[in-house]
Amino acid sequence: MRRLATRGAAGDVGEVAAPAADSSDCARVRSLSPWRLIDLCATWNTGVCFPSTAWSRASSGVARQGLNEAEELSSAWEAHLEPLKAPRPQGLGSRERGLVLRMARQQPPPWVHAAFLLFFLSLGGAIEIPMDPSIQNELTQPPTITKQSVKDHIVDPRDNILIECEAKGNPAPSFHWTRNSRFFNIAKDPRVSMRRRSGTLVIDFRSGGRPEEYEGEYQCFARNKFGTALSNRIRLQVSKSPLWPKENLDPVVVQEGAPLTLQCNPPPGLPSPVIFWMSSSMEPITQDKRVSQGHNGDLYFSNVMLQDMQTDYSCNARFHFTHTIQQKNPFTLKVLTNHPYNDSSLRNHPDMYSARGVAERTPSFMYPQGTSSSQMVLRGMDLLLECIASGVPTPDIAWYKKGGDLPSDKAKFENFNKALRITNVSEEDSGEYFCLASNKMGSIRHTISVRVKAAPYWLDEPKNLILAPGEDGRLVCRANGNPKPTVQWMVNGEPLQSAPPNPNREVAGDTIIFRDTQISSRAVYQCNTSNEHGYLLANAFVSVLDVPPRMLSPRNQFIRVILYNRTRLDCPFFGSPIPTLRWFKNGQGSNLDGGNYHVYENGSLEIKMIRKEDQGIYTCVATNILGKAENQVRLEVKDPTRIYRMPEDQVVKRGTTVQLECRVKHDPSLKLTVSWLKDDEPLYIGNRMKKEDDSLTIFGVAERDQGSYTCVASTELDQDLAKAYLTVLADQATPTNRLAALPKGRPDRPRDLELTDLAERSVRLTWIPGDDNNSPITDYVVQFEEDQFQPGVWHDHSKFPGSVNSAILQLSPYVNYQFRVIAVNEVGSSHPSLPSERYRTSGAPPESNPSDVKGEGTRKNNMEITWTPMNATSAFGPNLRYIVKWRRRETRETWNNVTVWGSRYVVGQTPVYVPYEIRVQAENDFGKAPEPDTVIGYSGEDYPRAAPTEVKIRVLNSTAISLQWNRVYSDTVQGQLREYRAYYWRESSLLKNLWVSQKRQQASFPGDRPRGVVSRLFPYSNYKLEMVVVNGRGDGPRSETKEFTTPEGVPSAPRRFRVRQPNLETINLEWDHPEHPNGILIGYTLKYVAFNGTKVGKQMVENFSPNQTKFSMQRADPVSRYRFTLSARTQVGSGEAVTEESPAPPNEATPTAAYTNNQADIATQGWFIGLMCAIALLVLILLIVCFIKRSRGGKYPVREKKDVPLGPEDPKEEDGSFDYSDEDNKPLQGSQTSLDGTIKQQESDDSLVDYGEGGEGQFNEDGSFIGQYTVKKDKEETEGNESSEATSPVNAIYSLA
């Protein structure tokens, strides 16, 4: 039977008439003393107010009702409230009980808002006045800036100017502005106004005026009688989009293959315009790694080709605020070439440049100039590095960082790898970056030194300070930057040095300390921290409150709780200085604290376990020097809800009736609701089911009724659960074998265990077997548990056949045994039986000693002796302990000994790594175990004192060396010699400009040996090597550094081997140089072979120069495919090869291998060729017969459509019209026939006009284009009512005949 029952209490702390409120209404107040915190509220969630994480430091009440903690607390709440949780009662078996909260949801009363909002002081930077009118009218607040415009404020000249400044305070603040550090008199300018209840400036230009006249630096001041707050200095600028200067551009003459830069030089706009290049017909310029636009807007040609002359090039500037595009006069190119014909077939030629007679050139940088440059970037901004190179062929660009890797999470490549962008730059991104431009003629490098500076950023931003009279506090303003920013303090907008002296205030650099504050100390302080890259300005006010105690919750609350649960009563209050709070019960007695009661620092009263006698009226009293206030809470204790008869697991046949019981006991004053779940989902009670108060009945059980059923008994305060599983058996035919027909299951548990024949070292255990559930029992497993060493843990004792139910068990001395039995059949194991009664055997001295004795040093001057402790069955008596003995092995001194109750002992003040003899003997109160064996241990090791000498290196091949050294003396090892170790690193490559990693690697040579081999080296490299000796403590000193050079080796495989097939006749191959040349490349070897199904052609071999990375070949036939194998060569030989196959033809399906072979064979068979010829001849004869038959009908006369009726054989157009024309009158392709029969050229479907609004473009006097961005509209072609002439299909046949 499987049973599970859980219960919970919604009233751990109690049910309350107070309602739920959103958690955003919760707020806290921080006392301005650095050691005190007023925490008047906690999160109000589903009717429960939880304490904040600062509860333990709170010194005032919490604005919440006294309610239970719910199990749904987050992990953070759980960790904080762990000491407060009551243990959940557990039942027998699998019955578990938990806590569940049930609360009604209502709108929160005003006191909840008052408490929540009042105590958000100083944590959010601005003080919220509580909504409670009685408090709202009393608490004062200096001004706080809540909204302001950005520091660099750029406005559209076509709109009114808006400069935002909003603030709050009590009383409400007034506002004034400065412009360029001088008072800005708003009343004298009719265009300028200030919004009502706000400091926001509005400058209106509807009646005229120039926005440029109002540019400058503005600052807002918000003031009331308690202080003045300042906004940032707002720099107002008007957006500008100046016109392009007029200029006449001569054609640019350039030799084919030469580099070219077309400069844009856009007019300076505010903000800077977006640059893009187009032709004069507004077609975008196609960009690639040869032709691209730089970050400065210029258009760069790495090398000019003849096709670049086919268009012109115009730079366009798009201005953000005015939404206009300005177009520069276009550049036209004149390309001088040795090959005047622009043959498009040469564009795909593998060596396009040499085919056009263009000389190949090594790369050179077009931008930036020279070999090095520097760049400064501010922290948090994006770093953009750019390298644009010329050369023939077009160079590839690669980026590296000196001494490290590029930040993969922030770095990305742009503009065909010509630009490197690193986002959100930090100080670790500074350093040297270099770009490598390379083609097959060579490479060139440019180094960019990047320096990261920083505008000021906050480490500790000053926060508002709320103090009671006489308290101490401090304002901290700490910022960082590069260079280090300076800090300037101001009070109410004036420098602190010029403010009236205040004996209670002390300035210490970035901190202002207040001591013994009074009401007169209220003010707003400004911290301005700045360096050459920017500034930060923060306002923080100091407010001093003097308020007598006041209760914030309704009076005379009523709370109901469940018996034996934990509860907490809260008394939210407010006052300054912070009041103290005491609790009383039933209006008499002393302050409640201690025993079953615990009062927290914030004043909340916790009752650890509710009893019937805890019912009553509790009074809380808050007191400070200005007075006192009190409130009462009435507590009522209710009995818990319990399911005392739970539903049981049942196995029933289909079509029968089953009843699941669920009988409940609950508090009669609470309303009980019983509901059922099926498979943890609400159960639908249909017409086959009957639900009663104490049971659920199912009539005509079906297979779909199988599953788990849960009874849920709940009140408004708690609930209890109980679960059972219903198994439904399907109908079966009458079986011939009863066991074969019935379902098999695990056996039932054995029962009625009995101990007899009690002896010192044995006992007889007898049991009654349970039902085998149609599967014979094969084994019984007897387990035991003892209550001294591992109480509650069961161990296997012995195993017996399934035919017995009584056995003699051999026992150990001094063990308090308890037994249980598990039955096993082919289905599985039964549940364990109920435990037997306990039986304790008599004691005796131990018969064995602990095992796994070791002696090892954990430090250089100690030895730790450890062993595996003996278990309960080998202890044989009480008070088990161990006698530990040790002595130096060489000296044979007397034994040292100590008695230990644990499993380890540390011997101190030992020499370094000397052997010890160790013995560990067990002992109990009955005597000692036999004499133990002696174990050899060693004291702690120290680092080796000597290094290997006479290190000799012999190069074996390009990737391995042989090492030989003189071994160190044993007394210098100072421990167990683990290995000799070689540290080696690649210093450089013999190839110029090849960057190598200098990461240290190591090779280990275990044991005391004088030689070894280091392999997996890089060929053609300079290496350095050091040797050390290693013991258990670590490495010894390094040997003398040796240098060696590895010879040239074979290269690695070429990278990115690509096979492309642009058409059926040509195959193009491309590859990149090997990642590891391992020497000087002398060329590449390409082997390829044609194959068609199972047929393979002759292998062909091609050798290429080291600079060639492309190859083009003509296919021998359009059917065969090719398999290419490419390898690089050095003087040593060919390296690792890479293999690729040419792609299958586009019309080739993906058949099976057998079908492919057959298809290839059929195409070469004679009968197949003959059949194809016969079909072609038959088609030709049919065409001739058709033409002859058509010609006998003569030509049809042209007739008017409306006068002559049509015959059924007349051809008809799809639209119902009938047009006839001669072949000679057919219009040319690409032209249109006009109404009078003339041919007119078709108009272009694209024009600059399409980019203007309404189809009409606007041009300035200088030719620049200005217009709104609009979607291009299709032009409508207007034609007459006459249909256009078309060629008659009949005449076409006549012409063929």
Side-chain angles (χ1 to χ4, degrees):
M1 181 185 302
R2 296 181 342 119
R3 297 191 297 174
L4 170 66
T6 64
R7 75 172 189 273
D12 283 5
V13 189
E15 180 189 89
V16 67
D22 190 77
S23 61
S24 61
D25 290 333
C26 184
R28 296 186 292 182
V29 178
R30 183 180 299 277
S31 168
L32 293 216
S33 168
W35 317 113
R36 302 169 66 187
L37 176 72
I38 307 175
D39 192 341
L40 296 192
C41 138
T43 306
W44 186 276
N45 189 8
T46 60
V48 178
C49 195
F50 302 132
S52 69
T53 55
W55 187 307
S56 61
R57 295 173 54 206
S59 57
S60 72
V62 175
R64 55 186 290 275
Q65 290 286 2
L67 301 176
N68 292 358
E69 301 96 7
E71 282 188 321
E72 294 82 356
L73 286 172
S74 66
S75 59
W77 293 112
E78 292 278 10
H80 182 74
L81 297 178
E82 189 65 30
L84 307 181
K85 291 184 178 178
R88 292 183 288 182
Q90 299 287 332
L92 292 177
S94 60
R95 182 180 177 94
E96 300 176 1
R97 306 203 177 270
L99 303 177
V100 178
L101 177 70
R102 180 177 304 273
M103 289 299 299
R105 296 179 177 269
Q106 305 172 10
Q107 288 300 317
W111 67 265
V112 176
H113 291 284
F116 288 3
L117 297 181
L118 175 62
F119 303 110
F120 211 159
L121 306 180
S122 81
L123 295 183
I127 295 178
E128 294 286 350
I129 302 299
M131 294 183 180
D132 190 336
S134 61
I135 300 179
Q136 189 176 28
N137 296 331
E138 295 179 9
L139 292 184
T140 58
Q141 177 182 340
T144 301
I145 300 291
T146 59
K147 188 176 183 181
Q148 56 184 318
S149 295
V150 295
K151 294 178 181 178
D152 291 314
H153 189 32
I154 302 176
V155 296
D156 192 335
R158 299 171 300 178
D159 297 334
N160 293 334
I161 295 177
L162 199 71
I163 311 177
E164 291 184 313
C165 177
E166 296 183 7
K168 61 183 177 182
N170 187 17
S174 60
F175 299 88
H176 73 269
W177 287 81
T178 61
R179 179 186 174 198
N180 299 328
S181 301
R182 300 182 63 182
F183 176 70
F184 184 41
N185 194 340
I186 299 173
K188 290 187 177 180
D189 193 332
R191 296 192 188 96
V192 183
S193 61
M194 190 182 299
R195 284 185 176 174
R196 188 166 176 260
R197 296 180 182 175
S198 168
T200 299
L201 287 183
V202 180
I203 307 176
D204 194 341
F205 297 103
R206 287 179 294 184
S207 58
R210 296 178 65 251
E212 291 79 4
E213 297 175 356
Y214 291 89
E215 289 185 326
E217 188 177 77
Y218 292 78
Q219 190 168 26
C220 174
F221 293 74
R223 173 177 298 166
N224 66 12
K225 64 180 181 178
F226 302 114
T228 303
L230 277 64
S231 72
N232 289 323
R233 297 188 297 275
I234 302 168
R235 188 162 63 124
L236 178 66
Q237 295 175 283
V238 178
S239 173
K240 298 177 178 61
S241 54
L243 300 178
W244 228 300
K246 295 181 179 181
E247 55 182 342
N248 293 321
L249 301 176
D250 295 329
V252 178
V253 180
V254 62
Q255 183 70 37
E256 187 174 19
L260 175 65
T261 303
L262 299 181
Q263 295 184 347
C264 180
N265 296 328
L270 186 68
S272 299
V274 177
I275 304 300
F276 57 97
W277 286 81
M278 304 184 77
S279 66
S280 58
S281 60
M282 300 303 286
E283 292 293 333
I285 301 300
T286 302
Q287 299 188 25
D288 51 27
K289 76 173 185 176
R290 185 179 67 86
V291 181
S292 63
Q293 175 185 320
H295 184 62
N296 60 0
D298 294 347
L299 190 64
Y300 294 90
F301 295 76
S302 294
N303 51 74
V304 176
M305 300 303 294
L306 187 62
Q307 65 261 26
D308 297 333
M309 197 170 56
Q310 295 178 357
T311 185
D312 53 10
Y313 302 85
S314 177
C315 182
N316 296 262
R318 184 179 68 204
F319 293 91
H320 171 69
F321 277 92
T322 57
H323 301 285
T324 60
I325 294 178
Q326 296 198 30
Q327 188 179 51
K328 186 175 183 177
N329 288 341
F331 293 94
T332 57
L333 299 186
K334 182 177 181 182
V335 181
L336 305 180
T337 180
N338 298 326
H339 197 299
Y341 303 104
N342 189 15
D343 190 353
S344 60
S345 65
L346 295 179
R347 297 183 185 179
N348 297 324
H349 194 278
D351 199 353
M352 175 180 62
Y353 296 98
S354 60
R356 296 197 53 81
V358 178
E360 295 180 335
R361 291 184 293 102
T362 58
S364 62
F365 282 110
M366 305 173 70
Y367 179 87
Q369 301 290 332
T371 59
S372 64
S373 59
S374 63
Q375 193 165 332
M376 189 274 288
V377 64
L378 290 181
R379 178 181 185 270
M381 306 297 288
D382 286 0
L383 170 64
L384 183 66
L385 304 178
E386 191 171 36
C387 281
I388 302 176
S390 65
V392 178
T394 303
D396 293 315
I397 305 294
W399 290 90
Y400 305 91
K401 184 179 182 183
K402 203 167 185 178
D405 298 327
L406 296 176
S408 58
D409 55 335
K410 302 193 297 181
K412 61 180 180 178
F413 302 104
E414 300 176 353
N415 197 16
F416 311 99
N417 265 30
K418 299 178 185 180
L420 169 65
R421 182 182 297 275
I422 300 178
T423 59
N424 192 21
V425 170
S426 57
E427 286 77 2
E428 55 264 25
D429 294 320
S430 59
E432 289 190 356
Y433 296 77
F434 64 87
C435 56
L436 186 69
S438 59
N439 61 13
K440 66 181 183 178
M441 300 302 295
S443 61
I444 189 174
R445 185 166 79 172
H446 183 93
T447 302
I448 306 174
S449 179
V450 174
R451 294 173 295 115
V452 178
K453 301 291 186 180
Y457 56 93
W458 289 119
L459 298 178
D460 283 311
E461 186 177 0
K463 300 294 190 297
N464 294 333
L465 203 56
I466 311 295
L467 298 173
E471 280 191 326
D472 300 341
R474 63 179 61 196
L475 292 177
V476 179
C477 175
R478 189 174 295 118
N480 199 5
N482 187 4
K484 182 72 175 178
T486 60
V487 175
Q488 178 190 11
W489 284 100
M490 295 182 288
V491 57
N492 296 329
E494 299 294 333
L496 197 61
Q497 296 82 355
S498 60
N502 186 344
N504 300 331
R505 179 180 65 208
E506 178 185 346
V507 180
D510 55 12
T511 304
I512 300 180
I513 302 172
F514 300 92
R515 294 186 176 89
D516 192 21
T517 56
Q518 301 302 322
I519 298 296
S520 59
S521 301
R522 291 180 291 193
V524 182
Y525 289 82
Q526 288 82 33
C527 174
N528 183 68
T529 174
S530 61
N531 64 11
E532 60 189 65
H533 302 297
Y535 75 94
L536 293 172
L537 178 67
N539 292 275
F541 63 69
V542 176
S543 182
V544 181
L545 298 180
D546 194 357
V547 182
R550 179 170 302 174
M551 294 295 169
L552 300 177
S553 59
R555 300 184 63 82
N556 302 324
Q557 302 172 54
F558 172 59
I559 298 176
R560 296 182 294 175
V561 297
I562 295 297
L563 186 67
Y564 304 127
N565 283 332
R566 178 182 307 191
T567 190
R568 185 162 39 245
L569 307 180
D570 297 317
C571 182
F573 62 92
F574 173 65
S576 182
I578 301 170
T580 58
L581 188 129
R582 294 180 298 166
W583 285 90
F584 303 93
K585 181 183 177 184
N586 295 329
Q588 59 185 358
S590 60
N591 183 28
L592 296 178
D593 196 5
N596 197 35
Y597 301 101
H598 176 68
V599 178
Y600 289 92
E601 291 184 2
N602 66 347
S604 296
L605 175 66
E606 181 191 41
I607 306 176
K608 299 176 182 179
M609 180 179 290
I610 289 292
R611 299 162 300 185
K612 283 292 186 180
E613 55 266 28
D614 292 323
Q615 186 167 283
I617 297 177
Y618 292 80
T619 304
C620 60
V621 179
T623 308
N624 68 7
I625 60 175
L626 301 177
K628 70 175 182 178
E630 63 179 46
N631 201 357
Q632 290 184 343
V633 179
R634 184 162 66 93
L635 186 66
E636 193 172 279
V637 180
K638 302 295 182 181
D639 291 328
T641 302
R642 295 287 182 271
I643 299 177
Y644 65 91
R645 181 167 293 180
M646 297 174 288
E648 296 183 349
D649 295 346
Q650 298 190 42
V651 180
V652 298
K653 292 183 179 180
R654 185 174 60 183
T656 60
T657 299
V658 64
Q659 185 179 56
L660 301 173
E661 281 191 306
C662 183
R663 300 191 179 183
V664 184
K665 179 182 179 182
H666 70 291
D667 193 293
S669 64
L670 301 177
K671 181 181 179 182
L672 176 68
T673 302
V674 178
S675 59
W676 288 85
L677 307 176
K678 181 179 183 294
D679 297 330
D680 298 326
E681 297 291 336
L683 175 65
Y684 170 70
I685 307 297
N687 54 8
R688 293 188 303 108
M689 298 184 183
K690 181 181 179 182
K691 174 181 170 294
E692 298 177 316
D693 291 340
D694 56 358
S695 65
L696 173 68
T697 305
I698 306 175
F699 303 96
V701 174
E703 284 87 349
R704 64 177 181 272
D705 296 323
Q706 179 169 297
S708 63
Y709 288 80
T710 305
C711 174
V712 182
S714 59
T715 66
E716 57 265 40
L717 294 184
D718 66 342
Q719 72 175 23
D720 196 9
L721 310 176
K723 179 180 290 187
Y725 196 86
L726 177 64
T727 303
V728 180
L729 302 179
D731 293 337
Q732 295 181 351
T734 303
T736 58
N737 186 336
R738 183 182 67 85
L739 291 179
L742 294 177
K744 297 180 179 181
R746 296 187 300 175
D748 290 346
R749 69 178 69 184
R751 57 187 176 87
D752 296 343
L753 273 66
E754 184 180 5
L755 297 178
T756 58
D757 301 342
L758 304 177
E760 278 194 10
R761 298 294 180 92
S762 66
V763 69
R764 175 177 291 277
L765 176 66
T766 306
W767 63 89
I768 298 176
D771 192 344
D772 62 4
N773 288 327
N774 309 316
S775 178
I777 296 175
T778 58
D779 298 289
Y780 287 103
V781 178
V782 178
Q783 295 181 331
F784 75 93
E785 179 261 352
E786 53 83 23
D787 58 0
Q788 182 177 359
F789 289 90
Q790 291 180 300
V793 178
W794 290 88
H795 307 272
D796 288 346
H797 184 282
S798 50
K799 190 174 183 179
F800 301 98
S803 58
V804 303
N805 68 330
S806 180
I808 298 292
L809 306 180
Q810 299 301 321
L811 308 179
S812 296
Y814 202 74
V815 177
N816 193 17
Y817 282 100
Q818 188 178 33
F819 300 98
R820 68 182 187 183
V821 182
I822 299 175
V824 182
N825 64 8
E826 64 177 9
V827 179
S829 300
S830 71
H831 291 294
S833 68
L834 295 178
S836 69
E837 59 182 345
R838 287 195 177 271
Y839 174 62
R840 180 184 289 276
T841 56
S842 59
E847 296 181 357
S848 62
N849 288 301
S851 60
D852 198 22
V853 178
K854 296 178 182 179
E856 297 176 344
T858 59
R859 299 173 180 240
K860 66 180 182 180
N861 59 352
N862 76 355
M863 179 179 64
E864 183 180 60
I865 302 174
T866 60
W867 57 90
T868 300
M870 300 168 64
N871 56 29
T873 58
S874 57
F876 287 15
N879 204 11
L880 178 66
R881 51 200 178 270
Y882 304 95
I883 302 172
V884 181
K885 300 179 180 180
W886 71 96
R887 71 179 178 182
R888 289 274 298 269
R889 184 179 185 183
E890 298 90 348
T891 61
R892 292 289 181 176
E893 59 189 12
T894 59
W895 288 94
N896 301 285
N897 66 82
V898 67
T899 301
V900 179
W901 277 261
S903 61
R904 60 186 289 270
Y905 179 74
V906 178
V907 180
Q909 303 302 319
T910 62
V912 174
Y913 199 68
V914 295
Y916 280 82
E917 294 179 342
I918 302 171
R919 295 176 181 176
V920 180
Q921 184 180 27
E923 181 185 25
N924 62 22
D925 288 352
F926 290 95
K928 296 180 181 179
E931 197 67 25
D933 296 332
T934 301
V935 176
I936 304 301
Y938 285 86
S939 59
E941 300 177 80
D942 200 356
Y943 294 108
R945 290 188 283 110
T949 57
E950 298 297 328
V951 179
K952 298 178 181 179
I953 299 175
R954 182 167 63 90
V955 177
L956 299 179
N957 53 46
S958 61
T959 62
I961 61 171
S962 172
L963 291 176
Q964 187 172 353
W965 60 88
N966 289 343
R967 292 177 290 186
V968 298
Y969 293 107
S970 59
D971 60 341
T972 65
V973 177
Q974 300 195 109
Q976 182 183 3
L977 194 153
R978 301 288 180 89
E979 62 184 29
Y980 287 91
R981 183 178 298 168
Y983 289 101
Y984 59 94
W985 62 96
R986 192 180 181 191
E987 187 70 18
S988 62
S989 172
L990 294 178
L991 295 173
K992 294 183 179 180
N993 299 325
L994 180 63
W995 181 86
V996 299
S997 172
Q998 295 183 345
K999 180 181 179 181
R1000 286 178 175 256
Q1001 296 176 287
Q1002 66 183 44
S1004 298
F1005 310 105
D1008 190 10
R1009 61 171 68 182
R1011 61 181 59 88
V1013 175
V1014 178
S1015 58
R1016 296 185 180 180
L1017 302 174
F1018 285 99
Y1020 213 53
S1021 301
N1022 295 318
Y1023 274 89
K1024 290 186 178 181
L1025 179 142
E1026 297 172 344
M1027 292 285 297
V1028 298
V1029 63
V1030 182
N1031 63 14
R1033 186 74 186 277
D1035 294 0
R1038 304 290 172 99
S1039 69
E1040 179 186 358
T1041 302
K1042 297 291 184 178
E1043 298 184 0
F1044 64 92
T1045 300
T1046 53
E1048 197 171 6
V1050 296
S1052 62
R1055 292 180 298 168
R1056 293 190 283 275
F1057 185 33
R1058 305 174 295 280
V1059 179
R1060 295 187 175 90
Q1061 184 173 306
N1063 49 56
L1064 294 178
E1065 292 79 22
T1066 306
I1067 296 178
N1068 295 331
L1069 281 71
E1070 295 183 10
W1071 62 90
D1072 291 345
H1073 296 302
E1075 181 179 5
H1076 301 293
N1078 295 336
I1080 300 175
L1081 290 181
I1082 62 173
Y1084 294 91
T1085 299
L1086 176 69
K1087 299 178 182 179
Y1088 59 95
V1089 61
F1091 64 94
N1092 185 354
T1094 59
K1095 296 183 178 181
V1096 180
K1098 180 182 178 181
Q1099 178 174 283
M1100 307 297 292
V1101 179
E1102 296 280 350
N1103 290 315
F1104 307 117
S1105 68
N1107 291 327
Q1108 184 171 348
T1109 57
K1110 296 180 180 179
F1111 175 69
S1112 181
M1113 61 168 286
Q1114 300 296 320
R1115 297 171 61 102
D1117 61 82
V1119 178
S1120 300
R1121 297 177 62 189
Y1122 288 83
R1123 183 177 295 111
F1124 299 94
T1125 302
L1126 179 69
S1127 61
R1129 305 192 312 275
T1130 62
Q1131 293 290 351
V1132 178
S1134 296
E1136 181 184 355
V1138 58
T1139 301
E1140 291 288 344
E1141 292 183 359
S1142 62
N1147 57 349
E1148 185 176 325
T1150 311
T1152 63
Y1155 180 78
T1156 304
N1157 297 337
N1158 294 338
Q1159 187 182 36
D1161 295 339
I1162 289 174
T1164 59
Q1165 300 297 319
W1167 64 268
F1168 180 75
I1169 297 174
L1171 178 62
M1172 293 297 100
C1173 293
I1175 293 174
L1177 180 61
L1178 180 60
V1179 171
L1180 180 61
I1181 293 173
L1182 289 175
L1183 288 174
I1184 294 174
V1185 172
C1186 181
F1187 288 153
I1188 295 173
K1189 188 174 181 180
R1190 288 279 188 177
S1191 62
R1192 292 177 180 176
K1195 295 184 178 180
Y1196 291 93
V1198 178
R1199 56 181 177 262
E1200 295 294 329
K1201 293 182 236 181
K1202 63 182 179 178
D1203 297 335
V1204 182
L1206 299 173
E1209 70 280 6
D1210 289 335
K1212 181 181 294 184
E1213 297 292 328
E1214 292 181 359
D1215 60 353
S1217 62
F1218 297 82
D1219 296 334
Y1220 299 88
S1221 62
D1222 295 334
E1223 188 70 25
D1224 297 336
N1225 295 332
K1226 183 176 179 181
L1228 297 175
Q1229 186 177 2
S1231 63
Q1232 293 180 340
T1233 307
S1234 63
L1235 295 178
D1236 58 359
T1238 61
I1239 305 300
K1240 63 180 181 179
Q1241 190 67 26
Q1242 218 171 28
E1243 295 180 359
S1244 170
D1245 62 350
D1246 194 8
S1247 172
L1248 189 64
V1249 175
D1250 298 333
Y1251 291 85
E1253 185 175 357
E1256 296 181 359
Q1258 301 178 11
F1259 293 85
N1260 291 335
E1261 294 178 358
D1262 60 349
S1264 63
F1265 169 68
I1266 303 176
Q1268 300 289 330
Y1269 305 133
T1270 59
V1271 180
K1272 182 177 178 182
K1273 303 177 181 177
D1274 296 335
K1275 295 194 289 263
E1276 298 179 354
E1277 296 181 1
T1278 307
E1279 297 181 357
N1281 295 329
E1282 293 83 5
S1283 61
S1284 61
E1285 296 184 347
T1287 304
S1288 168
V1290 178
N1291 289 343
I1293 296 177
Y1294 288 160
S1295 63
L1296 291 175

